[in-house]
Amino acid sequence: MSHKIIKNIGIVTFYPPMRTEFELFGVETFEKNGFNVFFIDISKILTPNLKYDPPVVNDKIVIKINKIRELYNILNQKNLIIVSAVYYTYKTLWLYRLYKKFNVPYIVFDISYHPSRTFESPQKSLQERIKRLNFRNLIIRLVNSNTFNQFLIKKADFALIPNYFSNILDPIIGKNTKILYTHHSDYDKYLANLDKKVSPENIIVFLDEYLPYHPDFQVMKSKPPVTPMNYYTSISRFFDKLEQKTMLQVVIAAHPRSSRKNLFGDRKVIYNNTLELVRKSRLVVAHSSTALNFVALYKKPVIFMTTDEIIKTDHNNIIMNMAKCFNKIPINIDDETSIDMSDICSIDLEAYNNYLNNHVKIPGTPEINSWEMFIDCLNENHYI
């Protein structure tokens, strides 16, 4: 079967792209292989009132879209394939309709897969389930139904699947979709750093999630699980105790979308270097960050923590589930009686290896960058 020859890679994002996205979407890998790469930022359409000003990146390859019609000329290009980093939902149905209208080939992958999805959610009461039977949820079910969407959208041409639990892409995977089993993007970073020598340091790394201010809460129109004053006071107090107990220094691995204002007092805050920080640390502290992938890869001891505020929210279930993956129990840092530091450096190797096999890398997949695997797949299927 003949296909148009791909020369241009358009990466559609629902956030303004940052430095981390350039790595996540393999920009350097694509450019090294002769492709022209550019980002298509549709955040102004999806979230026009988003109050979020990310660090400046290379604007030369970022096209900011303000109106849907501005996409027409882009999608009508010859030799284009789209990397769709925007999930298919009833709110983005229009975008996937455009892929069909212009018959543009596109690839999907589970950009924000989280291991906690593999656990069953707490059983909702009958009253809660009745409340969820509203028009909006009926529309969502209809849009996700294959019976419905097969007539409205073009199914993905390619799907990069990082593990066997990733099913959020199911509604846009069809019988002709080429499925490529790869690994999590964090494993790509791990591979890129295999030959780099790092000396251990006497530090504890906190995997920041920017919980009080993360822009996802604006996008989803939901309330953050913590208030800034309570949250930063609680973790600062806990870090003081942890430093006294271990004689190690707590360093913050900042969330990439966090502001550059230091919210952690005098503690060192480092951006865009989480892998190396975890690799040279003695201990890691986390809530439920996907950067726990590095904890499993480098076999680091980890403390999972929650707070009085978090416990009252659904976010606590996510923390509990992530802790289960590592055979750990979260501690409530606001409750002195729950803070037990007698066993903080223990590691369950079986749990760590199971985590890697289930969530980070499908056993048997090639030990190469995911986007190199995709380029090989394009070549095998006569797209290049």
Side-chain angles (χ1 to χ4, degrees):
M1 181 179 179
S2 62
H3 303 284
K4 63 181 181 180
I5 301 302
I6 300 300
K7 294 180 181 177
N8 301 311
I9 310 285
I11 305 166
V12 181
T13 63
F14 59 90
Y15 273 134
M18 305 182 309
R19 173 181 161 183
T20 50
E21 268 80 34
F22 279 63
E23 188 174 4
L24 174 64
F25 296 112
V27 171
E28 186 178 330
T29 300
F30 282 126
E31 289 180 339
K32 185 177 68 177
N33 281 275
F35 293 96
N36 172 47
V37 186
F38 56 93
F39 284 90
I40 306 167
D41 172 14
I42 62 171
S43 59
K44 290 295 183 185
I45 297 176
L46 293 180
T47 51
N49 299 317
L50 181 65
K51 297 175 182 177
Y52 172 58
D53 186 22
V56 177
V57 293
N58 183 2
D59 282 339
K60 293 179 181 177
I61 66 167
V62 178
I63 302 172
K64 297 181 184 296
I65 302 296
N66 296 298
K67 297 178 181 178
I68 291 176
R69 288 194 67 87
E70 293 173 10
L71 282 167
Y72 287 15
N73 286 338
I74 298 172
L75 296 180
N76 204 29
Q77 288 183 47
K78 294 180 179 179
N79 313 119
L80 172 71
I81 191 169
I82 289 292
V83 176
S84 192
V86 177
Y87 283 130
Y88 170 74
T89 70
Y90 77 102
K91 289 184 178 179
T92 61
L93 174 61
W94 62 269
L95 177 64
Y96 285 83
R97 292 275 292 154
L98 286 182
Y99 295 159
K100 179 176 182 178
K101 176 183 176 72
F102 292 98
N103 195 30
V104 59
Y106 72 96
I107 173 178
V108 291
F109 70 108
D110 196 346
I111 184 174
S112 57
Y113 168 80
H114 200 281
S116 65
R117 282 195 217 150
T118 61
F119 292 83
E120 289 186 13
S121 301
Q123 189 68 40
K124 301 285 185 185
S125 67
L126 179 60
Q127 185 179 7
E128 287 175 311
R129 279 180 281 170
I130 291 173
K131 280 174 66 177
R132 288 178 64 85
L133 289 176
N134 54 37
F135 180 74
R136 174 179 172 273
N137 285 330
L138 288 174
I139 292 295
I140 291 172
R141 287 185 136 189
L142 189 61
V143 167
N144 284 332
S145 161
N146 275 319
T147 304
F148 177 80
N149 71 26
Q150 65 178 319
F151 301 108
L152 288 181
I153 67 169
K154 172 181 179 290
K155 299 288 187 174
D157 295 83
F158 299 91
L160 264 61
I161 307 295
N163 53 65
Y164 295 124
F165 295 102
S166 182
N167 59 8
I168 199 168
L169 302 176
D170 287 357
I172 48 177
I173 292 178
K175 62 182 181 180
N176 295 320
T177 302
K178 178 69 177 177
I179 295 176
L180 188 61
Y181 290 104
T182 59
H183 37 252
H184 196 282
S185 59
D186 285 340
Y187 197 79
D188 290 332
K189 298 175 186 176
Y190 169 77
L191 289 174
N193 284 271
L194 272 179
D195 297 329
K196 186 176 180 180
K197 296 193 182 302
V198 173
S199 300
E201 294 183 12
N202 291 325
I203 60 171
I204 298 168
V205 173
F206 170 54
L207 302 179
D208 174 40
E209 293 182 32
Y210 203 35
L211 278 184
Y213 301 113
H214 197 295
D216 275 0
F217 298 118
Q218 291 182 55
V219 172
M220 297 183 292
K221 297 181 179 178
S222 59
K223 185 179 176 183
V226 294
T227 53
M229 178 67 75
N230 289 340
Y231 178 71
Y232 290 113
T233 299
S234 292
I235 61 175
S236 179
R237 185 171 58 238
F238 175 66
F239 291 162
D240 287 341
K241 292 177 182 176
L242 193 57
E243 287 176 335
Q244 291 170 10
K245 172 73 176 178
T246 62
M247 301 301 291
L248 302 172
Q249 177 189 12
V250 173
V251 175
I252 313 301
H255 189 281
R257 297 200 183 277
S258 66
S259 71
R260 299 289 160 159
K261 186 171 91 172
N262 191 349
L263 301 167
F264 297 91
D266 295 332
R267 291 191 167 87
K268 188 182 292 186
V269 178
I270 300 176
Y271 285 82
N272 302 317
N273 204 19
T274 301
L275 178 147
E276 185 169 319
L277 286 173
V278 171
R279 190 177 181 184
K280 64 187 181 182
S281 70
R282 303 286 183 183
L283 176 66
V284 175
V285 180
H287 296 300
S288 58
S289 169
T290 53
L292 283 158
N293 293 343
F294 299 130
V295 169
L297 283 164
Y298 293 115
K299 304 295 186 287
K300 298 293 180 176
V302 58
I303 296 173
F304 289 87
M305 68 177 186
T306 184
T307 69
D308 282 345
E309 286 185 317
I310 295 174
I311 281 175
K312 298 172 185 175
T313 69
D314 288 341
H315 199 79
N316 196 62
N317 295 325
I318 298 174
I319 296 172
M320 292 288 290
N321 290 339
M322 281 297 277
K324 285 178 186 175
C325 290
F326 291 82
N327 196 20
K328 292 281 187 176
I329 298 174
I331 61 174
N332 179 357
I333 60 174
D334 289 327
D335 180 3
E336 290 284 344
T337 62
S338 83
I339 301 177
D340 179 7
M341 296 193 189
S342 61
D343 195 30
I344 58 175
C345 288
S346 67
I347 292 175
D348 184 331
L349 284 176
E350 183 179 1
Y352 277 51
N353 289 330
N354 285 339
Y355 179 91
L356 290 174
N357 291 334
N358 289 333
H359 307 296
V360 179
K361 185 183 186 299
I362 295 176
T365 55
E367 297 283 329
I368 61 172
N369 182 281
S370 298
W371 295 111
E372 291 281 5
M373 293 169 64
F374 173 59
I375 291 169
D376 289 344
C377 185
L378 284 179
N379 193 28
E380 291 168 6
N381 287 273
H382 310 294
Y383 279 87
I384 55 178

